[in-house]
Amino acid sequence: MAKITPFQAVVYNQDKIKDLSTVICPPYDIISPQKQEYFLGINPYNLIHMELAEEKPGQDKYGIAGEFFRDLLQKQILVQDPRPAIYFYRQEYSIKGEKRIRVGFLALLRLDEQKSSSVFGHEHTHLEAKEDRLNLIRQVKANLSPIFVIFEDKKKVVAQSLLPNIKNKEPFIDIVDDEKTAHKLWRVDDPQLLKRIQEKMEQENIFIADGHHRYEVACAWRDEMKKRFESVTGQESFNYVLAYFTNIDPLGLRVLPIHRLVKLDNRPDITALNAKLNEYFYVEEIKDRARFLFLLAKAGVAEHVIGMYNSNRHWLLRLRNVKVLDKLMTDKPAEYRNLDVSILNAAVLERILNIDLEDKRTLKFSANTEELLQAAGEDQTLLVFLLNPTKVEQITSVALKGEKMPPKSTYFYPKVASGLVVNKHD
């Protein structure tokens, strides 16, 4: 049972910030150092000054973020909406020349107890990242950016409740970001409508798409706060986390693959490597890059196939027999074993190349295919492994099994912008 609630969002004051596109930024965990510098410089009030505050000698960056947030509130650069609302959110974007639209809404999600939770995660989390976000929320006392969740929308919350309500109304936020994605937001604050939406959402299972670390940190902070009080009602603000909800719609919900770049000590002996790969895969070299990428995507619809690239040569690795997965991953359910990323990890990276999957010096990740191919074209000690996207039904089936997917298995696109709305805790 998913419990959601409307909230009084903290938003940028448009009387003082004329161009809201200069104060938003992507989620903190996908911002490169170069992009961090860009957002730090584009506007002195950009949310990144809180999300990724600059390190300064002798100063606590989390304390800096907290002071910055309170200063913006005091100066009314940030203001709080007068009434609780749910915020309808429409994104218009292009991918490979195709225009798409994704719709959803922003609201607060009740933090469940783990044993009885209807909120399912699909990725492992790392302690270092959780400590970072926990230190931030302790100082800022706000959800600066939403977690990203998906649900089946069995009760047609979006189509029947939200869409008709915003029809013919102008959005109060209408901007285009630096990646040419349009973001539009509407307030929905009719009390009776909000109640109906809450009741409908109680029938839904919720799957975390992005923001696993932030969700777990919100739970940890809730537990910290509960210890400070002799009694709690369950309605305190720390029992909720800011979330973006979108339904499992293949037309608007785009999942991109995250590829692997392997740094070897020397240029690989391709003949010897292919001989080892032949134990598990049919190995086919493809001369033309465009054809290679086309065949990789086409084959991924019906079979397990991985792309491999080194020194301007391309290969398709087609799994010989799914039964081999039973031996490679004896402790995992079929839903996990049948993920292309699991096959790559178990058969190729760990068994054949003896790669430590936690070694950041050897293994790097990116959703940018051309960036990886260019890097490997310039350095013959690099091997690139390209994957097809993980299907949404695979994500939900793994989560419902109580299993976690390998790290960096999915990249939901486009990202939800940080800085459109903030949830300030009492």
Side-chain angles (χ1 to χ4, degrees), residues 182-205:
H183 305 265
K184 299 181 181 183
L185 240 62
W186 291 259
R187 293 182 181 91
V188 178
D189 57 10
D190 176 77
Q192 291 186 340
L193 175 60
L194 294 179
K195 184 178 180 181
R196 288 201 302 272
I197 294 171
Q198 287 177 280
E199 291 171 349
K200 288 184 176 184
M201 287 300 296
E202 287 184 355
Q203 310 301 315
E204 300 287 348
N205 283 326

Side-chain angles (χ1 to χ4, degrees), residues 58-83:
Q59 296 188 50
D60 172 29
K61 68 176 182 179
Y62 306 108
I64 292 172
E67 290 178 11
F68 189 86
F69 181 54
R70 290 184 287 275
D71 185 53
L72 294 195
L73 289 168
Q74 192 273 328
K75 292 178 178 177
Q76 293 194 318
I77 302 297
L78 290 173
V79 293
Q80 191 163 28
D81 277 351
R83 295 186 301 279

Side-chain angles (χ1 to χ4, degrees), residues 26-32 35 52 179 210 408 411-412 415:
Y28 78 99
D29 53 353
I30 66 164
I31 298 176
S32 67
K35 274 294 187 180
L52 288 174
E179 292 191 347
D210 274 343
K408 306 292 183 182
Y411 188 99
F412 285 82
K415 297 299 182 181

Side-chain angles (χ1 to χ4, degrees), residues 29-32 95-96 123 179 210 254-261 293 296 363-375 384-390 407-415:
D29 53 353
I30 66 164
I31 298 176
S32 67
I95 189 162
K96 295 182 179 179
E123 280 193 359
E179 292 191 347
D210 274 343
R254 189 61 185 258
V255 185
L256 304 181
I258 302 181
H259 312 299
R260 272 61 176 161
L261 180 70
L293 295 173
L296 174 64
L363 189 61
K364 297 190 182 301
F365 308 89
S366 176
N368 191 321
T369 303
E370 290 304 319
E371 181 182 88
L372 294 185
L373 294 179
Q374 181 178 344
V384 174
F385 293 98
L386 300 180
L387 294 164
N388 282 306
T390 303
K408 306 292 183 182
S409 294
T410 57
Y411 188 99
F412 285 82
Y413 186 86
K415 297 299 182 181

Side-chain angles (χ1 to χ4, degrees), residues 91-318:
Q91 290 170 290
E92 300 172 10
Y93 65 102
S94 294
I95 189 162
K96 295 182 179 179
E98 181 182 358
K99 292 185 178 180
R100 293 200 174 202
I101 294 172
R102 188 175 71 202
V103 295
F105 63 92
L106 291 148
L108 300 188
L109 173 65
R110 175 69 180 265
L111 298 167
D112 284 344
E113 298 297 335
Q114 190 172 4
K115 292 182 179 179
S116 59
S117 179
S118 59
V119 179
F120 298 89
H122 72 271
E123 280 193 359
H124 286 286
T125 55
H126 298 284
L127 181 60
E128 181 181 354
K130 286 190 285 188
E131 288 179 344
D132 168 63
R133 292 298 99 179
L134 185 55
N135 286 331
L136 180 63
I137 198 172
R138 284 169 176 157
Q139 293 294 330
V140 177
K141 296 180 175 58
N143 304 131
L144 298 175
S145 58
I147 66 170
F148 181 151
V149 301
I150 57 178
F151 66 108
E152 291 185 35
D153 204 3
K154 297 188 289 278
K155 296 294 183 179
K156 306 296 182 186
V157 173
V158 174
Q160 295 181 2
S161 299
L162 285 165
L163 272 173
N165 190 266
I166 60 98
K167 189 176 181 181
N168 300 324
K169 294 181 181 177
E170 290 296 318
F172 77 97
I173 292 178
D174 187 353
I175 57 176
V176 178
D177 67 21
D178 63 311
E179 292 191 347
K180 309 303 181 187
T181 297
H183 305 265
K184 299 181 181 183
L185 240 62
W186 291 259
R187 293 182 181 91
V188 178
D189 57 10
D190 176 77
Q192 291 186 340
L193 175 60
L194 294 179
K195 184 178 180 181
R196 288 201 302 272
I197 294 171
Q198 287 177 280
E199 291 171 349
K200 288 184 176 184
M201 287 300 296
E202 287 184 355
Q203 310 301 315
E204 300 287 348
N205 283 326
I206 301 297
F207 301 91
I208 301 174
D210 274 343
H212 291 79
H213 290 93
R214 280 168 284 161
Y215 183 82
E216 291 186 19
V217 162
C219 291
W221 193 62
R222 172 204 58 193
D223 295 342
E224 281 188 12
M225 295 297 291
K226 286 170 70 174
K227 291 177 182 178
R228 298 185 187 182
F229 300 93
E230 293 184 4
S231 62
V232 294
T233 65
Q235 299 307 309
E236 295 86 358
S237 62
F238 55 73
N239 290 291
Y240 294 86
V241 66
L242 177 61
Y244 164 71
F245 300 78
T246 189
N247 62 321
I248 301 172
D249 174 10
L251 295 178
L253 188 64
R254 189 61 185 258
V255 185
L256 304 181
I258 302 181
H259 312 299
R260 272 61 176 161
L261 180 70
V262 178
K263 173 69 173 176
L264 302 175
D265 294 331
N266 302 290
R267 181 179 178 179
D269 181 339
I270 292 297
T271 302
L273 175 59
N274 285 346
K276 294 178 180 179
L277 289 168
N278 266 297
E279 180 181 354
Y280 305 106
F281 303 94
Y282 297 106
V283 181
E284 178 186 5
E285 184 169 4
I286 308 295
K287 301 293 185 181
D288 179 72
R289 176 173 296 184
R291 181 168 173 76
F292 162 70
L293 295 173
F294 169 77
L295 292 175
L296 174 64
K298 182 180 178 182
V301 175
E303 61 181 311
H304 298 293
V305 60
I306 296 165
M308 186 174 76
Y309 174 82
N310 171 259
S311 300
N312 294 313
R313 296 176 67 185
H314 317 78
W315 296 267
L316 293 179
L317 314 180
R318 301 174 191 266

Side-chain angles (χ1 to χ4, degrees), residues 329-357:
M329 295 171 272
T330 56
D331 60 334
K332 297 294 185 182
E335 290 82 0
Y336 181 98
R337 295 197 299 268
N338 284 308
L339 298 170
D340 287 351
V341 63
S342 300
I343 297 168
L344 172 63
N345 284 353
V348 182
L349 300 184
E350 291 185 302
R351 182 158 298 214
I352 294 176
L353 294 175
N354 297 312
I355 299 296
D356 178 358
L357 300 180

